[in-house]
Amino acid sequence: SDDPLEVRELDLAFRAQWQRVRDRLDRERDFAAHAAHELRTPLTRLLLLAERAREEDPEANAALAQQIEEISRMSRLVDALLVLARSAEPPAADTEAVNLADLPRESGTLLSPEPLLRPQVVAVDEALVRGDKDLLRTAVINLLDNALKFGRSGAPPRAEIVVREDRVLLRVTTPGLRISASEGTRLFERF
């Protein structure tokens, strides 16, 4: 090459630094995927054991219900870690047609045993999108779970699905805390 020695050295240094950053990101993504994968099985076993351990004692049942709720929350967190790990990968070519309108309805029972706290779903019967059904389900559950956690106590979130021309819009709203403009920029950061 006709480039001066300093430029070649700088180019090599930048390439080496870029490779180190990529390697670190790959290791972090692999760690998240492996950790989440390894945690799924024990969490599932704990959940099954807690569900089988129901007793006649109301206090024991209340404690078990709290344990089941916490294990379910941890399972959703593990699923979110898997989504995080997979989101850095290129999209799979084998996407499927998914009825997005079904996902908030199905998710309601997972999020709250209380029928009055389950999300109110306002949707057409069919809102087809192409994608990975598991990833879409996890995203919907995360949105609804956050709406339940950060909304006003006792007020269920609302999931509205609207089909506009070639787009499907999912809007999750909840009566509750207002987010300031300065906090709004953090909404799309990881964690």
Side-chain angles (χ1 to χ4, degrees), residues 100-111:
L100 191 64
D102 289 340
L103 300 182
R105 292 181 187 116
E106 295 168 0
S107 303
T109 55
L110 295 172
L111 293 168

Side-chain angles (χ1 to χ4, degrees), residues 52-182:
R52 287 184 193 152
R54 294 193 187 263
E55 299 178 12
E56 297 297 320
D57 180 15
E59 272 187 44
N61 275 340
L64 284 170
Q66 287 178 335
Q67 183 180 11
I68 289 169
E69 183 180 325
E70 189 62 22
I71 293 169
S72 297
R73 188 189 68 75
M74 289 172 60
S75 295
R76 288 192 300 274
L77 178 62
V78 165
D79 288 340
L81 280 173
L82 285 172
V83 169
L84 177 66
R86 290 171 68 180
S87 68
E89 298 173 4
D94 58 342
T95 60
E96 58 185 309
V98 178
N99 185 0
L100 191 64
D102 289 340
L103 300 182
R105 292 181 187 116
E106 295 168 0
S107 303
T109 55
L110 295 172
L111 293 168
S112 177
E114 294 279 333
L116 294 176
L117 291 180
R118 290 184 188 148
Q120 299 172 349
V121 180
V122 178
V124 294
D125 289 333
E126 193 170 76
L128 295 177
V129 297
R130 293 207 66 75
D132 182 309
K133 187 172 186 174
D134 292 332
L135 291 177
L136 288 168
R137 179 182 290 113
T138 300
V140 169
I141 288 173
N142 287 343
L143 287 170
L144 293 171
D145 189 40
N146 282 337
L148 275 170
K149 277 193 277 190
F150 300 110
R152 193 174 3 184
S153 178
R158 175 183 167 105
E160 180 183 3
I161 296 179
V162 179
V163 178
R164 292 188 186 149
E165 298 170 14
D166 62 341
R167 294 176 183 242
V168 176
L169 172 70
L170 166 63
R171 181 180 300 129
V172 175
T173 57
T174 183
L177 303 174
R178 296 238 181 238
I179 298 172
S180 69
S182 62

